[in-house]
C-alpha cells in the first residue's frame, strides 16, 4: 500500500520482502551457482529488484516536437526567453519575482514544496524525491536547471517534461503579466525569473500535490526563494560560484541556508564542519528541525550491482534494505539517503509519527530513478560515459564513481569547461584516472577558450597526455580512436565531462535526441 501523509506505515499483512520476490531471488541465485557466490547474490538482487520496478521510465529528456508548427512556435518562445537577461547575470533581489507572483495571485502558495539547495547532487536528489512522491500516488511538479538538451525538461509534471504545447501556452499566458512587471521595475525579468514564474504557475494549474524545487544558485536571493517550503534540503556544500556566494564553505552555507524557513524541517547532507555550523545556527534562529546525515539518517551499506548498486538506507523512521539504485557512484547512494529523509520529513516521519514508508514502494521508486548526464553510459565498444561534473567536488565524485563502477583498462577524458570555473581543480581531480585527455569546447558563449584550457591541462597532465580538438564532435572521435587504438586496451573507455552544456551537446552527437 502506497504512503500518503495520513498513512505512512507499512501494511502489516504484506510481508517484506514479498514471498514472490524472495522466490524469484532464490531462483536467480540457483541459476548463478557456477559463479562467485558473492557476485551471484549481488546479480540476483539487482535483477530481482529491477523486475519489481516494472516498466522503466524514459530518461526525461524530450526530443524536439514532431509537429513542425509546434516546433516553430517553441523556437519562437525560446528565442524570446533568451533575449532576456541570461540566468548567469546575477542581481541579488527578489523584487521582480515577488511582483510577478503577486500579479499572478501567488500560485506558488497553492501547494507545498520541497526546496533543494547545495553545491552538487541537487538535480539527482530532486529526481529521487520526485520518484518517491510519485510512488506514494502524489501528483508532482519538479523544477530543475540548467537543462541538458531541451528547455522543456526544466518543468516536469508527474515525472514527465511539460509538453511543448503546454510550455508554449504557459509562456503566452504569463507574458502579459511579465510585461506588466517589466514596466514597473528598474530592470526587466530575467530568463530564469520568467522560467520560474512559468513553473510555479504550471504547477498550480495542473494542479500538483507537491512541488520539488531546485534553486538556481545559492538560496537567500535565488529566484525560487519565494516559497515557504516545509522541507528544505541542503546537499553537500563545496566551493563553486565563489565570486557570488563567498570564498569559504561557511560563507556559501550562509547564503544557501536562506531557503530554511520558520518551523521547517532541514534535511542536511554530510557537510564540512564550517558549513554545518552555519546551517544549524540558522535552524535555531527560525525554530527549524534538523535531520543530519550520519546522525538521524544515512547509508547503512552499499554493494556494487549490475547496472547500479544495492543499498540499505537508514531513514528517519527505520531501515530500508535491498534497495536497487540504478545509478553509479557512492555519492548517489548518499543522494538517495537525503531524498528518502526528505520525503519522510514531508510525510511527518520522525516528528508526527515514527512509522516507515512502505518499503516496497520505496524500492520500486528508487529502482525507477534515472539521472541523465550523471555517469550515464551512452554507447559500448568502447564505452562512452557522460558526467556533468563542473567543479572539483563534482569531479572527485565522478572520478571515484567511474573507477568503482567500470573496470576500464584505460580511460580517455573529453573535457569542455565553462569560463569562471575552477578548471585547474577539476582537472586535478580527474588526473589520476585519465590516461589521456582531449580538451575541447562546447558551442556556448560561456565556453572556456580551448587554448586556455589546454594550457592548464598541460600543466596538470603533461604535454604528452593532452590532445587539443576545438570542436566537440572531433574531440569525441579522437577520444574514441584513442580508446580503440591498441588491442591491449580492449577495455578502454571515454568519459565526457566538464560542464552540463558539454554533456548535453555530447548526448545529441551520440544519438540521444
Amino acid at each position: 500500500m502506497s504512503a500518503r501523509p495520513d498513512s505512512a506505515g507499512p501494511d502489516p499483512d504484506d510481508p517484506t520482502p514479498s514471498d514472490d520476490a524472495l522466490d524469484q531471488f532464490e531462483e536467480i541465485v540457483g541459476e548463478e551457482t557456477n559463479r562467485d557466490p558473492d557476485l551471484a547474490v549481488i546479480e540476483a538482487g539487482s535483477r530481482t529488484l529491477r523486475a519489481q520496478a516494472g516498466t522503466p521510465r524514459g530518461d526525461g529528456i524530450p526530443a524536439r516536437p514532431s509537429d513542425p508548427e509546434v516546433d516553430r512556435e517553441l523556437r519562437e518562445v525560446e528565442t524570446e526567453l533568451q533575449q532576456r537577461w541570461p540566468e548567469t547575470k546575477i542581481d541579488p533581489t527578489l523584487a521582480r519575482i515577488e511582483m510577478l507572483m503577486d500579479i499572478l495571485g501567488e500560485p506558488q502558495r497553492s501547494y507545498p514544496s520541497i526546496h533543494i539547495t547545495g553545491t552538487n547532487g541537487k538535480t539527482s536528489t530532486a529526481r529521487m524525491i520526485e520518484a518517491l512522491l510519485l510512488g506514494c500516488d502524489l501528483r508532482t511538479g519538479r523544477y530543475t536547471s540548467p537543462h541538458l538538451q531541451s528547455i522543456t525538461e526544466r518543468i516536469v509534471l508527474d515525472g514527465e517534461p511539460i509538453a511543448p504545447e503546454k510550455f508554449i501556452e504557459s509562456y503566452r499566458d504569463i507574458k502579459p503579466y511579465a510585461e506588466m512587471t517589466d514596466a514597473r521595475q528598474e530592470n526587466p525579468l530575467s530568463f530564469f525569473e520568467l522560467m520560474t514564474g512559468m513553473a510555479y504557475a504550471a504547477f498550480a494549474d495542473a494542479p500538483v500535490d507537491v512541488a520539488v524545487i531546485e534553486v538556481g544558485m545559492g538560496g537567500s536571493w535565488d529566484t525560487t526563494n519565494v516559497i515557504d517550503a516545509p522541507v528544505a534540503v541542503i546537499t553537500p556544500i563545496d566551493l563553486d560560484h565563489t565570486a557570488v556566494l563567498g570564498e569559504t564553505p561557511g560563507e556559501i552555507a550562509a547564503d544557501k541556508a536562506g531557503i530554511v524557513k520558520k518551523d521547517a524541517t532541514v534535511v542536511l547532507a554530510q557537510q564540512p564542519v564550517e558549513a554545518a555550523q552555519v546551517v544549524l545556527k540558522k535552524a535555531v534562529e527560525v525554530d527549524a528541525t534538523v535531520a543530519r546525515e550520519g546522525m538521524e539518517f544515512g547509508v547503512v551499506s552499499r554493494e556494487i550491482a549490475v547496472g547500479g548498486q544495492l543499498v540499505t538506507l537508514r531513514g528517519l523512521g527505520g531501515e530500508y534494505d535491498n534497495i536497487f539504485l540504478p545509478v553509479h557512484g557512492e555519492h548517489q547512494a548518499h543522494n538517495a539517503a537525503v531524498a528518502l529523509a526528505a520525503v519522510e520529513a514531508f510525510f511527518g516521519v520522525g516528528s508526527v509519527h515514527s512509522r516507515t514508508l512502505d518499503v516496497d514502494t520505496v524500492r520500486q521508486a528508487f529502482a525507477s530513478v534515472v539521472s541523465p548526464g550523471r555517469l550515464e553510459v551512452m554507447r559500448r565498444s568502447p564505452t562512452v560515459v557522460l558526467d556533468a561534473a563542473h567543479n572539483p567536488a563534482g569531479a572527485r565524485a565522478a572520478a571515484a564513481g567511474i573507477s568503482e563502477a567500470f573496470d576500464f583498462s584505460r580511460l580517455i577524458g573529453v573535457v569542455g569547461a565553462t569560463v569562471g570555473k575552477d578548471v585547474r581543480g577539476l582537472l586535478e581531480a580527474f588526473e589520476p584516472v585519465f590516461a589521456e585527455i582531449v580538451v575541447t569546447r562546447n558551442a556556448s558563449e560561456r565556453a572556456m577558450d580551448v587554448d586556455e584550457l589546454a594550457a592548464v591541462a598541460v600543466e596538470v597532465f603533461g604535454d604528452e597526455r593532452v590532445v587539443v580538438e576545438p570542436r566537440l564532435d572531433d574531440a569525441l572521435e579522437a577520444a574514441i580512436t584513442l580508446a580503440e587504438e591498441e588491442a591491449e586496451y580492449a577495455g578502454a573507455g571515454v568519459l565526457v565531462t566538464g560542464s552540463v552544456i558539454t554533456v548535453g551537446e555530447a548526448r545529441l552527437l551520440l544519438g540521444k535526441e
Side-chain angles (χ1 to χ4, degrees), residues 80-257:
E80 289 187 28
L81 283 166
Q82 290 163 358
Q83 287 172 348
R84 289 181 171 271
W85 272 15
E87 55 194 323
T88 53
K89 185 172 182 178
I90 307 302
D91 181 20
T93 178
L94 296 177
R96 290 183 295 273
I97 188 66
E98 287 175 340
M99 177 175 286
L100 179 61
M101 292 295 97
D102 181 61
I103 293 173
L104 292 174
E106 304 289 350
Q108 82 283 12
R109 303 198 188 283
S110 65
Y111 44 82
S113 298
I114 296 176
H115 207 177
I116 307 171
T117 189
T119 301
N120 292 304
K122 296 187 295 296
T123 298
S124 291
T125 302
R127 284 175 168 270
M128 293 176 184
I129 290 172
E130 173 193 53
L132 288 164
L133 293 169
L134 285 170
C136 295
D137 297 327
L138 296 183
R139 294 210 66 194
T140 61
R142 172 169 55 83
Y143 181 55
T144 56
S145 61
H147 59 270
L148 274 174
Q149 292 175 212
S150 171
I151 194 171
T152 60
E153 73 194 60
R154 294 179 179 232
I155 302 175
V156 177
L157 294 166
D158 293 329
E160 296 295 333
I162 189 170
E165 296 86 350
K166 183 63 178 176
F167 186 90
I168 295 165
E169 178 186 341
S170 297
Y171 174 75
R172 288 176 176 167
D173 285 346
I174 205 174
K175 183 178 178 180
Y177 304 105
E179 291 172 345
M180 289 172 60
T181 304
D182 293 344
R184 299 179 186 181
Q185 293 288 324
E186 181 180 355
N187 294 306
L189 289 160
S190 68
F191 168 91
F192 190 68
E193 287 168 334
L194 189 47
M195 282 293 303
T196 302
M198 288 174 60
Y200 286 162
F203 296 159
D205 185 59
V208 302
D209 296 316
V210 54
V212 183
I213 308 297
E214 176 189 334
V215 303
M217 181 190 300
S220 296
W221 300 107
D222 186 73
T223 296
T224 63
N225 200 26
V226 288
I227 54 177
D228 294 318
V231 179
V233 176
I234 304 181
T235 65
I237 292 172
D238 213 295
L239 301 183
D240 199 9
H241 303 294
T242 53
V244 177
L245 301 179
E247 298 183 354
T248 68
E251 290 175 349
I252 294 171
D255 191 286
K256 293 183 182 294

Side-chain angles (χ1 to χ4, degrees), residues 16 29 67 112 120 169 178 185 206-207 228 261-262 275 311 318 325 340 350 396 412-413 427 436 496 510:
T16 305
V29 171
D67 185 325
N120 292 304
E169 178 186 341
Q185 293 288 324
D228 294 318
K261 305 298 171 61
K262 182 173 175 58
V311 299
L325 197 61
L340 177 61
R396 289 192 293 271
I412 311 300
L427 295 180
E436 294 180 72
V496 184
L510 292 167

Side-chain angles (χ1 to χ4, degrees), residues 458-475:
V458 167
E459 292 177 4
V460 174
F461 289 85
D463 185 68
E464 69 283 354
R465 294 168 63 193
V466 177
V467 176
V468 180
E469 290 288 354
R471 289 168 50 102
L472 181 56
D473 55 347
D474 292 335

Side-chain angles (χ1 to χ4, degrees), residues 16 53 81 140 227 259 306 310 325 334 373 433 439 498 509:
T16 305
L81 283 166
T140 61
I227 54 177
I259 71 166
V306 177
L310 289 176
L325 197 61
H334 290 283
V433 298
V439 297
L509 289 168

